Structures are given as C-alpha cells and as structure tokens.
Amino acid sequence: MPPCSVRKPAQKFVGEPAAASSTAGSEAGRVRVLITRPQPGADRTAARVSQLGRQAAVMPLFEASVTASMDDLPPATEIGGLIATSARAFDMFGNQSVSESGYADIPVYAVGTATAQAARDAGFAHIHEGGGTAEALLQELVGNLAPVSSGADRTCSPDSAMPLVYLAGVPRTPMIEAGLSAHQVSLRVVECYKMNKLSYSTDIVKTDILSPAPDVVLFYSANAARAFCELAGTGAIDEVIESVGFLCLSPPIAAELPPGWQPRVTVAKRPDEDSLLALLSALE
C-alpha cells in the first residue's frame, strides 16, 4: 500500500456513535485512523492507536446485544464442548457463576486470544485457543474430536459422544455449522448475541467523524467491511475512499471489499489486534 498522505491538523473523535462532538486535535502530519469495530472495543483500540502516535477516529458500525443467558444452555452433563468465535459469546453468562452451575469444566474451543480470555474471565477452566479464524478453529475441532472423561478431569478435547454447543452470534457465516455437519458432528447452536447495525446521518459522517478524512480504515470483521461498503454506496464517504488505505484483520474480511479498493488493502500477518496495529507503524 502506498504511503498515506500528510494532512492538515485534525480533530480527534473518540466516542459513542450518536455523539457528534469532538475534542481538539494535535500536531499536523499524524496519520488519522478510522476504527469501525463495536464498543467498548473501539475505545480500547483508539487508546492503542493514540499510543502509537496516530490520530484515532471512532465510527462503530455495529453494536452488540445479548440475546440468551446460561438458562438457555443444555445441562452441563449433556454438552461435549463449547465453541465460541467471539468474546461477546461469554456476555451471556453475565454475573452468573459457571462453576456453581457445573459448566466450568466443559472444554471451550475459542477462536483466538481475546475469545479465550473472555472464557477465562467467565470462569471456564479448560480452554483451547484457536488459530484466530473460524476456518482454523474448525480444522482443530475436527482433528481433536475424541472421547474424554467427564467431571473435573475433563481435557480440552470435545467429547464426541455428546453434542457440541456453538455460542453463536447473529449474523454469522455458516462455516462452523456447515463444516461440523459435513463431518457428521452433533452440534447445537445457541444464538447468544446479535450485532445490530448502526446508522449515521450524512451530516455527522461528513462534518464530524470524517472531517478531515482518515488516512486508514481498520476492519475487524466481515460485517463491518460490508457495512462500510454499503455506506460508500450512499455517496456519504466518496472523498474518503479515493485515497484511504484499508487494514484488515484477516483475508476473509479483505475479500468483502470491492476489487477497486484491493490495491489499497493490507491484511495483518496474524488475525489479532497486535498484528493489525503493527501495520500502522509502517505508515507515515
């Protein structure tokens, strides 16, 4: 991706989508980075971007809502393992104790580092951290299916004698369900969170969030990439996409962007935030 152009001093917008106010910007020449991930992660990323000497602008394209609780799960004795492709899956447990309910020793297959940490924070004891993508997690699941003992000595292998439970979001890609079905793995899906699309007025987008225009847009999900493309189709961000660079967490996310944008797309070496933000270090 060619070096980003140097722009005039900018305002920094870090806040909830509905808040159109900004705080004063800083020095000229700082790369301005648009963060599209949902809150509260967007503000955490903004803080990291600022620490790298870049300017952060926050425009979440989705917000999450919890749609299930622990009461929606089968009894612990009927679950061979839990699958989670997002840290948000564990919001369903709230302040409930997974230990007291007997779920703590169920093996958890988490897609990556952040999801694995959310499982630990929720109280789960046996967690397998996947390679960062749903595809890698699926391969690991299929390769590790084996009978395991029940009770406190359960390992991080799912019990093939009992159904796996996928703590799923809406919308989602069908990769996990389709892949396990192809291998005749018994699976129950519990939809526990929903990503709701956020809308912005054209005036707020043009005059506040994207004024001045960012040099780089960060994409953490295919949903966000598709939503940004839809926003571009309205004409609200024509000036932004003429020269902006796009940094994507993984190849499937990059694939959601149109062919005309692909020359300005860079994909993180690994599907985690550290790798994504490392790309910013090369931008001047």
Side-chain angles (χ1 to χ4, degrees):
M1 183 177 71
C4 294
S5 59
V6 175
R7 302 187 186 278
K8 64 182 181 180
Q11 288 185 319
K12 178 181 176 183
F13 176 86
V14 179
E16 295 292 338
S21 61
S22 305
T23 55
S26 54
E27 315 89 34
R30 294 178 68 193
V31 172
R32 184 169 168 84
V33 181
L34 179 65
I35 300 160
T36 62
R37 69 183 304 197
Q39 295 288 17
D43 280 347
R44 292 196 297 267
T45 298
R48 295 192 63 184
V49 166
S50 296
Q51 290 171 356
L52 293 172
R54 278 47 175 145
Q55 249 186 344
V58 172
M59 186 174 70
L61 296 173
F62 287 86
E63 64 179 358
S65 60
V66 178
T67 59
S69 70
M70 194 159 57
D71 295 336
D72 295 300
L73 293 175
T77 54
E78 298 177 11
I79 301 175
L82 296 174
I83 303 169
T85 53
S86 171
R88 297 186 182 278
F90 297 97
D91 291 345
M92 68 179 291
F93 296 98
N95 296 322
Q96 295 175 287
S97 171
V98 298
S99 178
E100 292 179 3
S101 301
Y103 292 100
D105 290 314
I106 296 175
V108 174
Y109 267 69
V111 70
T113 302
T115 305
Q117 186 57 53
R120 293 186 192 96
D121 293 342
F124 289 92
H126 304 295
I127 301 163
H128 173 84
E129 184 177 314
T133 65
E135 182 179 11
L137 181 61
L138 175 61
Q139 292 174 351
E140 293 164 6
L141 277 167
V142 171
N144 284 280
L145 279 170
V148 297
S149 59
S150 59
D153 61 345
R154 295 179 76 172
T155 70
C156 278
S157 293
D159 188 340
S160 60
M162 293 189 291
L164 300 176
V165 174
Y166 181 17
L167 305 180
V170 177
R172 64 182 178 276
T173 61
M175 180 176 293
I176 295 294
E177 290 120 303
L180 292 179
S181 176
H183 287 84
Q184 298 182 331
V185 177
S186 179
L187 179 69
R188 174 170 174 175
V189 177
V190 175
E191 294 180 343
C192 55
Y193 66 97
K194 182 178 181 180
M195 301 307 298
N196 304 294
K197 188 182 296 185
L198 295 172
S199 61
Y200 298 82
S201 72
T202 299
D203 287 343
I204 289 178
V205 171
K206 286 187 172 182
T207 64
D208 196 332
I209 302 174
L210 303 185
S211 178
D215 300 291
V216 179
V217 181
L218 302 185
F219 290 119
Y220 283 70
S221 72
N223 285 336
R226 286 191 291 268
F228 191 84
C229 291
E230 291 175 9
L231 185 60
T234 68
I237 56 174
D238 287 345
E239 296 178 2
V240 172
I241 60 177
E242 290 178 358
S243 60
V244 69
F246 304 101
L247 305 185
C248 300
L249 196 67
S250 68
I253 297 172
E256 296 291 337
L257 302 179
W261 298 4
Q262 291 298 324
R264 291 176 278 132
V265 173
T266 305
V267 179
K269 290 183 178 180
R270 297 181 306 278
D272 57 57
E273 185 171 70
D274 287 346
S275 296
L276 184 64
L277 297 187
L279 298 175
L280 292 177
S281 299
L283 302 179
E284 299 296 340

